[in-house]
């Protein structure tokens, strides 16, 4: 599953199917903002399961997964199993308390402000004349203003607020913006010309003869164009479109990149090219100039990988005066590299014939930015790496794997390195769980091992991130992919849904990819498994998941079915079906590889 909910640890290593009423989800005390919630569980086939007195439908195996509506506030659910025909006293009851919270912050009940609603919550720094909007949630109908420096900024009530759905709404089919009329939301904007430390804004609200004053937690600074600060990236830095992890990732900045700091928000710095990075990934120092560079000739070379001589790379070498920020995008047969804070003097480009590059075109699209569009010979891209060596930018593009022609009929994947990553593991990370409580981590390991065997039989060299029931974070899994640089990387998972999903009626295989080089593999395996095994399709999704972000290889994450769907769960745990699935996956991978690598 993706990270919708954190599974609570049970003694899954001694897993026994429940012999009485068992509730997998939700936990006995649960808090959510969803307007409905599914109940996943099982009970002996004979007899009845009811929730708050209403009998729920169950599969022939006895599993249930109904979705029930939630009121704002506390909801109590009595889940009851009874078997009138049994003379044993088998009745069992489970009580669940679910608190549904409002998605939006409600205004204070008394007179005053909502703590943490006063902007800014953390210290911020902006350029002179950048617009800054001050916001507060206060008692409706009050008169609200913010005082900062020598300015008094009136805040007006917002009549309409558009509430964006969370990203996960894409997966439950409720992806629409909702217009709400919140009461108590106030906003007013201003600009500041003079560089200075303005301190914390003080908010003031009047209602009748009552006056309440409160300072925001963060302060506002206007940066001086005369006192420049430079940030140098000390370890590959995640860059984002804004100052929190809620904002999208953009191309990570390689170690050594230098750029001016143009804004600050809490622990985040905005760099001159537009991206935001965390303070801890950079070293900040004073400077008197912006780091800029000319770009002249570009050369290429091919290198054989020192770690794995099977891997050959085309390297593009771009000498620069300093390590400027970059971004990368890929599409069919093109690899596009953008350099910021540069001016092109590019007149000569050399492409070695044994490289995978067809041609390089460039464009100075504005005074600060040059884009190099690299057309490639192979129809499939197999991975890339970017680094600074001194002030030379080196971009490495992986060549297609060479499939051995020997023994091709029996071992078509001869010599090819494939990485398999069995999702979750250990006592802390069970993944999602089926109606009986059976954990995702067990079935991902079983199917990964079956798939390993199938791929090895076809000649592949298979590397696994785990072969036992161990705790394994995302970081070591990603490190393994980066270190092994396999021909492809496949992560195996089984799915669940956010609280507002429909567990009874959602099923099928889902496939996730991130870098465009992985899309064709994702689509092919997805369609192959769905067609050959006649499985329903949940869909192929672009998704920013850690295990598919690595750039050194095409990487896909498969969600091979829904643990929480009572019918699909039976298919998921059936040993014969697991074998058939592993064989089908291996056939699909082989067919894609034979086609893509040639
Ligand atoms: Zn999972």
């Amino acid at each position: 599953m993706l990270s919708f909910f954190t599974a609570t640890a049970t003694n899954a290593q001694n897993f026994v199917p429940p012999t009485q009423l068992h509730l997998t989800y939700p936990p006995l005390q649960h808090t959510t903002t969803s307007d409905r919630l599914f109940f996943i569980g099982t009970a002996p086939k004979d007899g009845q399961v009811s929730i708050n007195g209403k009998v729920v439908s169950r599969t022939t195996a006895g599993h249930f997964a109904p979705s029930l509506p939630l009121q704002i506030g506390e909801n109590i659910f009595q889940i009851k199993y009874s078997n009138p025909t049994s003379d044993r006293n088998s009745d069992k009851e489970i009580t669940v308390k679910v608190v549904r919270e409002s998605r939006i912050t409600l205004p204070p009940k008394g007179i005053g402000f909502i703590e943490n609603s006063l902007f800014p919550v953390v210290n911020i720094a902006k350029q002179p004349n950048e617009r800054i909007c001050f916001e507060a949630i206060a008692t409706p109908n009050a008169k609200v203003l913010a005082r900062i420096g020598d300015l008094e900024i009136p805040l007006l009530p917002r009549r309409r607020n558009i509430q964006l759905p969370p990203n996960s709404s894409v997966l439950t089919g409720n992806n629409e913006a909702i217009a709400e009329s919140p009461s108590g939301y106030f906003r007013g904007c201003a600009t500041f010309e003079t560089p200075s430390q303005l301190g914390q804004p003080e908010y003031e609200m009047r209602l009748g003869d009552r006056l309440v004053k409160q300072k925001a937690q963060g302060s506002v600074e206007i940066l001086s164009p005369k006192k420049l600060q430079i940030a140098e990236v000390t370890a590959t830095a995640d860059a984002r479109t804004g100052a929190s992890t809620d904002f999208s990732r953009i191309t990570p900045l390689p170690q050594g990149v230098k750029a001016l700091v143009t804004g600050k928000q809490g622990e985040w710095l905005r760099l001159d090219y537009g991206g935001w990075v965390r303070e801890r990934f950079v070293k900040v120092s004073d400077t008197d100039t912006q780091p800029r560079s000319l770009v002249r000739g570009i050369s290429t070379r091919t290198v054989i990988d020192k770690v794995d001589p099977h891997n050959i790379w085309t390297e593009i070498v771009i000498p620069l005066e300093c390590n400027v920020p970059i971004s990368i995008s890929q599409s069919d047969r093109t690899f596009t590299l953008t350099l910021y804070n540069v001016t092109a003097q590019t007149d000569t480009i050399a492409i070695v014939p044994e490289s995978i590059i067809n041609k390089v075109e460039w464009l100075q699209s504005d005074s600060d930015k040059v884009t190099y569009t690299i057309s490639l010979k192979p129809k499939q891209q197999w991975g890339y790496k970017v680094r600074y060596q001194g002030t030379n930018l080196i971009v490495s593009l992986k060549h297609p794997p060479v499939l051995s022609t020997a023994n091709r009929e029996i071992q078509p994947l001869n010599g090819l390195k494939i990485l398999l990553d069995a999702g979750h593991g250990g006592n802390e990370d069970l993944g999602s769980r089926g109606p009986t409580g059976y954990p995702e981590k067990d079935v991902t390991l079983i199917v990964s091992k079956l798939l390993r065997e199938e791929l090895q039989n076809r000649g592949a060299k298979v590397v696994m991130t785990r072969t036992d029931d161990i705790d394994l974070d995302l970081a070591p899994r990603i490190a393994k992919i980066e270190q092994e640089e396999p021909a492809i990387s496949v992560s195996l998972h089984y799915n669940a849904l956010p609280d507002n999903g429909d567990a009874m009626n959602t099923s099928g295989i889902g496939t996730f990819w991130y870098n465009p080089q992985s899309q064709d593999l994702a689509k092919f395996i997805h369609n192959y498994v769905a067609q050959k095994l006649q499985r329903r399709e949940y869909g192929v999704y672009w998704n920013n998941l850690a295990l598919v972000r690595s750039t050194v290889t095409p990487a896909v994450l498969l969600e091979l079915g829904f643990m929480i769907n009572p019918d699909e769960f039976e298919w998921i745990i059936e040993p014969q079906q697991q074998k058939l699935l592993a064989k089908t996956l291996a056939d699909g991978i082989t067919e894609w590889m034979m086609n893509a690598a040639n």
Side-chain angles (χ1 to χ4, degrees):
M1 67 159 182
L2 312 167
S3 51
F4 301 132
F5 55 79
T6 320
T8 43
T10 61
N11 57 341
Q13 64 269 54
N14 306 316
F15 183 78
V16 211
T19 53
Q20 51 178 353
L21 176 64
H22 167 85
L23 184 70
T24 293
Y25 192 84
L28 300 183
Q29 309 257 354
H30 184 59
T31 302
T32 183
T33 56
S34 174
D35 62 353
R36 76 203 92 135
L37 181 64
F38 46 68
F39 290 75
I40 313 293
T42 195
K45 289 182 217 171
D46 302 330
Q48 281 184 336
V49 173
S50 64
I51 301 182
N52 288 353
K54 226 180 142 192
V55 175
V56 299
S57 75
R58 297 200 289 152
T59 62
T60 45
H63 310 327
F64 56 86
S67 282
L68 297 172
L70 298 175
Q71 309 293 324
I72 291 270
E74 195 175 291
N75 299 259
I76 301 289
F77 295 97
Q78 311 269 6
I79 301 128
K80 199 172 171 192
Y81 169 71
S82 56
N83 187 355
T85 60
S86 167
D87 45 354
R88 292 178 292 132
N89 184 10
S90 59
D91 291 13
K92 198 190 165 192
E93 203 169 310
I94 297 172
T95 304
V96 176
K97 188 173 114 182
V98 181
V99 176
R100 177 183 160 198
E101 290 179 341
S102 170
R103 271 185 206 277
I104 59 163
T105 310
L106 300 171
K109 292 213 174 80
I111 292 191
F113 294 103
I114 290 283
E115 217 186 322
N116 283 338
S117 75
L118 307 181
F119 180 88
V121 179
V122 293
N123 297 344
I124 63 162
K126 297 235 180 194
Q127 296 292 306
N129 297 319
E130 256 192 272
R131 193 175 163 79
I132 301 177
C133 289
F134 296 86
E135 294 180 356
I137 303 175
T139 315
N141 304 320
K143 268 197 159 354
V144 181
L145 60 85
R147 268 202 192 92
I148 183 159
D150 48 11
L151 268 190
E152 198 171 89
I153 303 147
L155 270 60
L156 298 176
R158 298 176 65 182
R159 290 212 172 72
R160 229 164 78 96
N161 189 25
I162 305 293
Q163 191 75 21
L164 285 183
N167 266 285
S168 64
S169 295
V170 172
L171 305 169
T172 51
N174 306 302
N175 195 33
E176 275 172 35
I178 302 161
E180 280 169 339
S181 309
S183 50
Y185 280 59
F186 294 86
R187 178 156 74 178
C189 305
T191 57
F192 301 85
E193 204 172 335
T194 321
S196 69
Q197 176 52 261
L198 295 167
Q200 298 157 275
E202 188 178 46
Y203 287 79
E204 202 181 286
M205 61 156 286
R206 278 175 198 278
L207 191 65
D209 55 359
R210 296 284 302 274
L211 172 69
V212 179
K213 290 182 179 183
Q214 197 171 328
K215 275 192 170 173
Q217 285 173 10
S219 65
V220 177
E221 182 187 359
I222 304 302
L223 295 169
S224 166
K226 286 176 191 153
K227 283 199 332 211
L228 300 178
Q229 285 198 310
I230 198 169
E232 179 179 349
V233 175
T234 49
T236 306
D238 287 338
R240 293 188 181 263
T241 56
S244 89
T245 52
D246 289 342
F247 288 92
S248 300
R249 287 166 188 275
I250 50 179
T251 304
L253 293 177
Q255 188 177 346
V257 163
K258 286 182 183 177
L260 288 186
V261 176
T262 63
K264 297 177 188 177
Q265 188 170 327
E267 52 160 358
W268 293 80
L269 303 176
R270 184 180 60 193
L271 305 184
D272 55 14
Y273 83 110
W276 289 80
V277 294
R278 273 209 180 99
E279 235 165 17
R280 66 166 185 266
F281 294 118
V282 298
K283 196 175 77 193
V284 177
S285 53
D286 294 333
T287 185
D288 46 15
T289 51
Q290 185 192 25
R292 284 193 63 95
S293 180
L294 299 171
V295 196
R296 291 195 181 141
I298 292 170
S299 55
T300 55
R301 62 193 180 206
T302 56
V303 295
I304 295 169
D305 202 292
K306 287 191 193 84
V307 184
D308 185 352
H310 283 98
N311 284 343
I312 298 171
W313 301 81
T314 290
E315 288 191 342
I316 302 161
V317 183
I318 307 176
L320 295 166
E321 295 166 89
C322 64
N323 301 347
V324 298
I326 59 148
S327 67
I328 284 163
S329 65
Q330 287 176 298
S331 66
D332 292 349
R333 289 208 182 190
T334 61
F335 181 94
T336 307
L337 171 70
T338 302
L339 306 185
Y340 300 88
N341 306 331
V342 293
T343 307
Q345 286 187 350
T346 305
D347 279 336
T348 311
I349 299 172
I351 301 166
V352 290
E354 64 273 25
S355 81
I356 56 167
I357 297 175
N358 207 10
K359 67 176 172 189
V360 178
E361 292 167 296
W362 64 268
L363 178 72
Q364 178 105 39
S365 52
D366 69 41
S367 60
D368 281 331
K369 201 164 92 179
V370 179
T371 298
Y372 293 86
T373 304
I374 298 152
S375 311
L376 302 163
K377 292 173 196 166
K379 61 187 173 203
Q380 168 67 37
Q381 296 185 49
W382 293 89
Y384 69 88
K385 297 188 278 193
V386 186
R387 70 183 196 276
Y388 272 107
Q389 200 168 60
T391 59
N392 301 296
L393 178 65
I394 318 275
V395 178
S396 312
L397 306 174
K398 208 200 290 167
H399 287 213
V402 180
L403 296 177
S404 164
T405 47
N407 210 6
R408 184 166 271 196
E409 288 304 304
I410 300 158
Q411 298 209 312
L413 302 179
N414 199 355
L416 206 70
K417 192 196 278 181
I418 293 175
L419 185 138
L420 298 181
D421 170 50
H424 311 279
N427 292 332
E428 298 300 316
D429 181 9
L430 308 180
S432 53
R433 284 172 300 145
T436 61
Y438 188 83
E440 178 189 353
K441 63 163 187 171
D442 285 3
V443 65
T444 61
L445 188 59
I446 292 168
V447 174
S448 295
K449 284 180 170 174
L450 291 170
L451 177 55
R452 173 178 65 179
E453 198 183 325
E454 292 285 347
L455 291 169
Q456 282 171 340
N457 289 343
R458 290 161 177 77
K461 185 188 168 200
V462 178
V463 182
M464 310 254 298
T465 53
R466 70 175 178 105
T467 52
D468 294 299
D469 184 23
I470 53 160
D471 284 310
L472 193 60
D473 285 343
L474 292 178
R477 294 175 197 257
I478 296 159
K480 185 97 175 167
I481 300 173
E482 311 258 290
Q483 172 205 326
E484 295 286 348
E485 294 175 357
I488 60 166
S489 167
V490 181
S491 287
L492 293 101
H493 285 252
Y494 288 83
N495 225 337
L497 285 167
D499 282 351
N500 64 339
D502 181 353
M504 282 300 277
N505 298 304
T506 310
S507 64
I509 175 176
T511 306
F512 295 80
W513 61 277
Y514 182 69
N515 296 306
Q517 65 191 8
S518 310
Q519 187 185 9
D520 192 62
L521 174 64
K523 276 196 321 201
F524 187 90
I525 298 186
H526 179 92
N527 293 340
Y528 194 91
V529 173
Q531 279 161 23
K532 295 279 171 181
L533 297 181
Q534 308 217 318
R535 301 305 303 167
R536 278 179 68 181
E537 287 179 60
Y538 180 55
V540 179
Y541 296 88
W542 180 84
N543 201 314
N544 180 14
L545 301 172
L547 282 162
V548 290
R549 277 203 303 270
S550 178
T551 67
V552 298
T553 184
V556 297
L557 186 145
L558 305 173
E559 297 275 1
L560 292 160
F562 280 81
M563 294 295 282
I564 60 171
N565 179 290
D567 291 316
E568 196 158 50
F569 174 71
E570 292 297 308
W571 174 79
I572 289 170
I573 59 168
E574 169 61 47
Q576 280 311 111
Q577 294 299 327
Q578 291 171 343
K579 275 188 193 146
L580 185 60
L581 173 63
K583 185 189 171 296
T584 309
L585 282 168
D587 286 345
I589 288 169
T590 307
E591 196 170 318
W592 182 81
M593 199 63 78
M594 300 300 284
N595 182 36
N598 289 304

